[in-house]
Amino acid sequence: MNLSKKSLMHMYETMIRIRLFELKLQEFFAAGEIPGFVHLYLGEEAVATGACTALTDSDKITSTHRGHGHLLAKGGDLKLMMAEIFGRQTGYCKGKGGSMHIADMDLGILGANGIVGGGGPLSVGAALAAKYQKTDDVAMCFFGDGASNQGTTQEALNMASAWKLPLVFVNENNGYGISCPQCKSMAVVDIADRAAAYDMPGVVVDGNDVLAVHEAVVEAVKRARKGEGPSLIECKTYRWRGHFEGDACTYRCVEELEEWKGKDPIPRFEAKLIESNTLTKAEAEETWKRIEKDVDEAVEFAKSSPMPSTSALMDDVYA
């Protein structure tokens, strides 16, 4: 693919932003300063980055319980996200939604989602709206390998194909549904094979290669905008942390984790950029430092923000 330096650097910086954001959450959750649960995206940065870089601001995404990477890649604000996860009034949901409910309609982020398989039907609705209103927008549904077994996901694939909706399904196959390995929960090796049942293209890509993800998604988005219907892209990847912070991870071995850490998407991409003279080592060091400062400022913003007042407990409750 012929991508501009601006686009390549955007991908590089986005992956670093996700990495440093998640590492900071890991640190503060362990210190007991973050309420609720967090499900970290460490190791999977290339998927959200490669996919969302193919979208416009008005395109829509639905996310998952492991959604921080999707939200940052779609343009989510570091400070507002950090404040929300710290449970502060200045956060995206006024500190009452937490990690799994962050949304920003202005950026086309229809929300993270604590319900496994909950994003599929929402993405069908967004894609149907785009088709009905002739906006030329595309919807994108991120979902995991566990969610691929949910009826809601299969129903969404079926309806999207039957109505030829502008929708791209991006499966993040990290090999485990909570603690259950894929081989014990499904008969197929490649989730993309299921696309044939719905008469749509199904593609498998290296989910730790941001350019491979981007290239596949660009083609799927083109197809969607031309009115040719949905596609399913399976990104093979791996989460470095447990299903949630605090998960002892007794269901997988250290050797497996280390093997996948050897495929870390960020140094792989950084090496390509340096090799192609797109980036120098000095620029790389400056980029990491600059984004680390941004993340530190987001933490400072969150910690200095007030907690929601008890009088606001029932505000924004609709059902």
Side-chain angles (χ1 to χ4, degrees), residues 23 36 68 70 85 94 128 132 136 153 156 182 221 225 255 271 307:
L23 286 173
H68 307 156
H70 310 145
I85 294 169
K94 304 175 187 175
L128 177 61
Y132 184 74
D136 199 40
T153 302
Q182 182 189 344
V221 168
R225 291 201 205 281
E255 291 77 12
M307 299 290 283

Side-chain angles (χ1 to χ4, degrees), residues 222-234:
K222 282 181 185 174
R223 184 173 186 274
R225 291 201 205 281
K226 286 193 291 185
E228 296 176 1
S231 303
L232 169 58
I233 299 168
E234 178 185 0

Side-chain angles (χ1 to χ4, degrees), residues 259-307:
E259 179 184 346
W260 275 95
K261 282 191 171 181
K263 304 173 186 174
D264 187 335
I266 300 179
R268 283 176 67 182
F269 189 50
E270 184 177 277
K272 285 183 180 178
L273 294 179
I274 292 174
E275 185 180 341
S276 63
N277 295 318
T278 306
L279 177 75
T280 66
K281 289 185 179 178
E283 289 171 334
E285 289 177 7
E286 185 280 327
T287 302
W288 281 90
K289 288 179 182 175
R290 173 166 47 83
I291 296 175
E292 185 175 20
K293 182 172 178 289
D294 292 342
V295 174
D296 286 342
E297 288 176 356
V299 171
E300 188 177 333
F301 173 79
K303 285 188 165 187
S304 63
S305 296
M307 299 290 283

Side-chain angles (χ1 to χ4, degrees), residues 5 72 85 111 143 179 201 208 219-220 237 254 256 274 303 316:
K5 178 175 181 178
L72 288 170
I85 294 169
F143 66 108
S179 58
N208 282 22
E219 290 305 310
T237 185
V254 173
E256 181 180 277
I274 292 174
K303 285 188 165 187
D316 310 310

Side-chain angles (χ1 to χ4, degrees), residues 15-261:
M15 286 200 291
I16 294 172
R17 188 171 296 110
I18 296 170
R19 174 67 55 87
L20 295 178
F21 185 86
E22 296 292 68
L23 286 173
K24 196 61 73 175
L25 292 186
Q26 180 185 340
E27 174 188 339
F28 283 105
F29 187 86
E33 296 194 42
I34 292 176
F37 279 104
V38 289
H39 305 75
L40 300 184
Y41 200 67
L42 291 167
E44 301 185 21
E45 295 89 348
V47 179
T49 301
C52 287
T53 304
L55 300 178
T56 66
D57 287 347
S58 61
D59 289 332
K60 310 294 188 297
I61 65 166
T62 61
S63 182
T64 69
H65 56 279
R66 200 177 309 284
H68 307 156
H70 310 145
L71 311 181
L72 288 170
K74 194 65 170 62
D77 187 282
L78 274 176
K79 291 182 178 178
L80 301 188
M81 283 184 61
M82 194 67 82
E84 184 58 39
I85 294 169
F86 269 80
R88 303 307 170 105
Q89 190 178 318
T90 52
Y92 264 117
C93 305
K94 304 175 187 175
K96 296 187 289 184
S99 168
M100 290 186 277
H101 298 93
I102 295 173
D104 188 332
M105 297 304 169
D106 291 338
L107 294 173
I109 299 170
L110 302 185
N113 200 318
I115 300 173
V116 175
L122 298 175
S123 65
V124 168
L128 177 61
K131 182 172 183 176
Y132 184 74
Q133 295 170 344
K134 297 181 172 57
T135 62
D136 199 40
D137 288 342
V138 166
M140 178 173 289
C141 173
F142 288 102
F143 66 108
D145 42 293
S148 72
N149 294 334
Q150 293 286 337
T152 49
T153 302
Q154 299 304 315
E155 291 164 15
L157 287 161
N158 180 61
M159 292 312 304
S161 184
W163 293 343
K164 287 200 177 301
L165 297 180
L167 178 50
V168 179
F169 293 92
V170 178
N171 172 242
E172 296 174 308
N173 187 353
N174 62 29
Y176 292 89
I178 307 180
S179 58
C180 183
Q182 182 189 344
C183 63
K184 292 187 177 180
S185 66
M186 62 183 81
V188 296
V189 173
D190 294 327
I191 292 168
D193 288 350
R194 292 175 170 173
Y198 302 106
D199 192 29
M200 69 174 75
V203 179
V204 179
V205 299
D206 178 351
N208 282 22
D209 182 339
V210 66
L211 293 179
V213 173
H214 183 68
E215 184 174 10
V217 173
V218 164
E219 290 305 310
V221 168
K222 282 181 185 174
R223 184 173 186 274
R225 291 201 205 281
K226 286 193 291 185
E228 296 176 1
S231 303
L232 169 58
I233 299 168
E234 178 185 0
C235 305
K236 306 275 192 186
T237 185
Y238 197 81
R239 56 170 156 81
W240 289 4
R241 302 293 294 171
H243 173 65
F244 57 89
E245 282 304 284
D247 179 359
C249 283
T250 54
Y251 46 86
R252 67 185 191 185
C253 63
V254 173
E255 291 77 12
E256 181 180 277
L257 173 61
E258 292 304 315
E259 179 184 346
W260 275 95
K261 282 191 171 181

